[in-house]
Amino acid sequence: MKNISVIGAGISGLAASAILAGEGHNVTVFEKNGQPGGRLRTFSERGFSFDMGPSWYWMPDVFERFYNLFGNTAPDFYHLKKLEPSFRIYFDNEHLDVPSTLEEIIALFGHIEPGADDKLRNFLKDAESKYVIGMKELVYMPAYSVSEYIKPEMISAFTKLSLFTSMGSYISKSFKDVRLRAILEFPVLFLGGLPSNTPALYSMMNHAQLTLGTWYPKGGMSKITESLVKIANDRGVKIRLNDSIREIRTSKRKVNTLVTDTHEIDTDLVIGSSDYAHTEQLLEPGNRNYSDKYWNTKVFAPSCMIYYVGVSKKLDHLVHHNLFFDADFRKHSMEIYKHPAWPTDPQFYVCCPSKTDDTVSPEGMENLFILIPVAPGLQDDPAISEQYFEMIIDRIEKRTGKFRDSIVVKRSYSVSDFRNDYNAYKGNAYGLANTLMQTAFMKPCMRNKKVDNLFYCGHLTVPGPGLPPSLISGEIAAREALKMYAR
């Protein structure tokens, strides 16, 4: 039995800790905040319960596979509801509801653009093929080097992945209507990239989005955190909250001690699920995989300006997931990626889980989670937060009617909060953008090349950003760490 330390109780850290403890090791998770979950934390006020981060439950097969490792299934922990509609997109003078069934989605495409129904069938068939290849051959690999991919079966698979075609051109080749393209392109935005520089490989997400569907765990997304904590605790994992790691000490290519605010801990192995760039700062410079210059050259996904809002009445014209694409996307994207600045007229997203779940707000009231993608590294302050809040509420009220005077809970969360709460590099919210040059073995390496018993997981390494990838990342890191003791 080895004493293993995990830095950070986010999704990847909890996943890694459960697997390691399940193999008989003594595992302790160190979490700087007062509750586990990382970005998947909650807070409650005046009868409202707010998920603070991820709000989309996609790829249910990934969660099910992970639970199966421990003899469980998702229903052991929460009840999943398939959303109808899956989501709503607001354009300038109209909105589209994307249905929950594939045949209805295909019919919608055909209604909007003649011939688009058949094109969507073919598009999604190809997306499914990419998804199967990706989930079977790619995402569970540690991706240390290109040599992992130089196998006959992998080379054959790569020819089907459209790695050198952008999502933008791949979608526009089949669909001309801007509304249909918006439906297919928006998952890329959640992966933190532009359709023009994200490989068409990621059309696999359209299979997850449209074919596998959009789900919601009753009680909120924090049910995922609760499930992972239970699995970990049942296997003896100790989770130490409000306990920050300040230093990782090494000797002869091995971590031997972790230093917190109050004590030192001897350890045989460390998995860093905290922000990768921050974890590296806990090491002496000569033991880091990457320099400050390296991180500064990376293309990061957006950060966010988020508002958690409780409203003391019901609101019409909102569904569970609402995308406000009634502004100039190109200008907003330039203000994120090319010329970082607070956006002039942003697109944004509103989650209203109280439309689905009566446990997240008092009776007759609404729970709103409002998110504006913004460039990482911006300087925020209360005045900026208030400016954008007023702007966004004005735009929502055009659809729902007046509710500003009915707001009873309001909290903002932005770049500096991501930096302070999660030690997130430049206050990033989603990690690295999934550009071609930041895919697979070109992402930051999962193992430390200078310290043999130090591994990394989370959204800044493989396989990438998002809840399911983070779950997978924790599993891969744990499996790689276990190999040290199987030699």
Side-chain angles (χ1 to χ4, degrees), residues 277 291-300 425-426:
S291 66
D292 292 342
K293 181 179 179 181
Y294 169 89
W295 290 110
N296 200 44
T297 61
K298 296 292 100 178
V299 180
F300 274 80
Y425 185 80
K426 292 187 177 181

Side-chain angles (χ1 to χ4, degrees), residues 303-351:
S303 186
C304 304
M305 173 69 83
I306 300 173
Y307 302 98
Y308 310 101
V309 180
V311 182
S312 63
K313 68 177 186 178
K314 301 303 285 185
L315 300 180
D316 294 331
H317 308 300
L318 290 179
V319 296
H320 192 114
H321 294 301
N322 310 267
L323 298 160
F324 283 73
F325 286 0
D326 53 345
D328 184 344
F329 167 70
R330 185 181 182 282
K331 185 172 185 179
H332 187 185
S333 65
M334 291 300 104
E335 292 167 332
I336 294 174
Y337 291 103
K338 300 298 184 184
H339 310 289
W342 286 99
T344 307
D345 189 21
Q347 297 189 341
F348 62 96
Y349 158 67
V350 179
C351 182

Side-chain angles (χ1 to χ4, degrees), residues 11 14 36-37 40 221-230:
I11 298 306
L14 291 172
L40 200 58
M221 298 292 286
S222 61
K223 290 295 180 182
I224 301 168
T225 299
E226 292 176 16
S227 71
L228 298 180
V229 168
K230 178 170 176 34

Side-chain angles (χ1 to χ4, degrees), residues 166-289:
S166 75
M167 275 291 288
S169 61
Y170 187 68
I171 290 169
S172 63
K173 181 174 66 175
S174 297
F175 307 99
K176 305 306 177 189
D177 191 285
V178 294
R179 295 165 295 178
L180 301 186
R181 286 158 60 174
I183 291 171
L184 295 173
E185 287 179 352
F186 103 82
V188 171
L189 306 181
F190 279 71
L191 292 168
L194 293 171
S196 59
N197 67 5
T198 300
L201 158 69
Y202 290 104
S203 67
M204 64 185 285
M205 289 305 300
N206 296 123
H207 173 73
Q209 166 205 15
L210 300 179
T211 305
L212 299 182
T214 301
W215 301 78
Y216 175 78
K218 183 165 184 176
M221 298 292 286
S222 61
K223 290 295 180 182
I224 301 168
T225 299
E226 292 176 16
S227 71
L228 298 180
V229 168
K230 178 170 176 34
I231 290 171
N233 284 342
D234 286 350
R235 281 147 189 84
V237 174
K238 296 181 284 293
I239 302 174
R240 298 175 57 154
L241 303 176
N242 298 306
D243 207 355
S244 295
I245 302 298
R246 299 301 181 186
E247 183 183 354
I248 301 174
R249 291 181 181 167
T250 64
S251 176
K252 299 178 181 178
R253 291 187 61 93
K254 293 288 182 67
V255 175
N256 50 34
T257 307
L258 296 180
V259 181
T260 75
D261 290 328
T262 58
H263 54 284
E264 299 180 3
I265 304 102
D266 293 335
T267 190
D268 297 311
L269 186 142
V270 173
I271 293 186
S273 80
S274 51
D275 183 270
Y276 196 129
H278 168 74
T279 306
E280 294 256 277
Q281 293 298 313
L282 303 176
L283 293 159
E284 294 180 354
N287 285 331
R288 298 171 189 168
N289 273 349

Side-chain angles (χ1 to χ4, degrees), residues 27-85:
V27 182
T28 303
V29 181
F30 298 88
E31 169 55 49
K32 76 181 290 289
N33 293 308
Q35 60 175 292
R39 286 160 170 77
L40 200 58
R41 296 184 297 152
T42 64
F43 85 93
S44 299
E45 186 175 334
R46 299 187 64 172
F48 295 87
S49 178
F50 295 94
D51 286 316
M52 295 186 69
S55 58
W56 293 78
Y57 194 108
W58 280 346
M59 302 169 70
D61 52 316
V62 172
F63 294 96
E64 195 65 21
R65 179 192 175 280
F66 184 82
Y67 293 137
N68 290 169
L69 296 175
F70 303 95
N72 297 115
T73 63
D76 292 334
F77 305 106
Y78 45 78
H79 171 70
L80 275 179
K81 177 181 176 63
K82 194 174 189 182
L83 298 182
E84 176 56 57

